Amino acid sequence: MKKNLLSICGMALALCCAVAITSCDKKNSKNCTSADKPYYCSSAKACCGYQYNDGHGTCWQTMEGCRSSGYACQTCHIEDD
């Protein structure tokens, strides 16, 4: 009985450690790893080659150009390491 209880506790501890390790990796991972598209647009959940996104799949070099699309634009950022 005591041996079974120790086995169950050991498996539970191993499972908790595995869950903790895998959850930490996602927080520190980058969304945009391509040198061609280094900007991450959080609202659109997309990577862009330029700093502005119209939320409809187009990236823009300037905010004025983005606004000319008629959509609400957002500023995208290069993610920290």
Side-chain angles (χ1 to χ4, degrees):
M1 178 75 172
K2 197 173 193 181
K3 192 174 185 180
N4 288 339
L5 183 61
L6 286 175
S7 295
I8 292 171
C9 288
M11 282 190 248
L13 180 63
L15 181 63
C16 289
C17 289
V19 168
I21 289 171
T22 57
S23 66
C24 291
D25 290 342
K26 287 187 176 185
K27 291 179 186 176
N28 296 328
S29 65
K30 288 180 111 179
N31 293 299
C32 303
T33 56
S34 171
D36 294 339
K37 295 182 177 184
Y39 293 96
Y40 181 65
C41 310
S42 57
S43 296
K45 292 182 177 67
C47 297
C48 273
Y50 299 112
Q51 193 173 1
Y52 304 100
N53 183 289
D54 64 7
H56 291 271
T58 306
C59 303
W60 300 83
Q61 229 171 351
T62 64
M63 181 59 88
E64 292 77 26
C66 187
R67 286 182 181 155
S68 71
S69 70
Y71 298 115
C73 297
Q74 77 170 73
T75 302
C76 307
H77 302 280
I78 294 178
E79 297 173 291
D80 295 333
D81 286 335

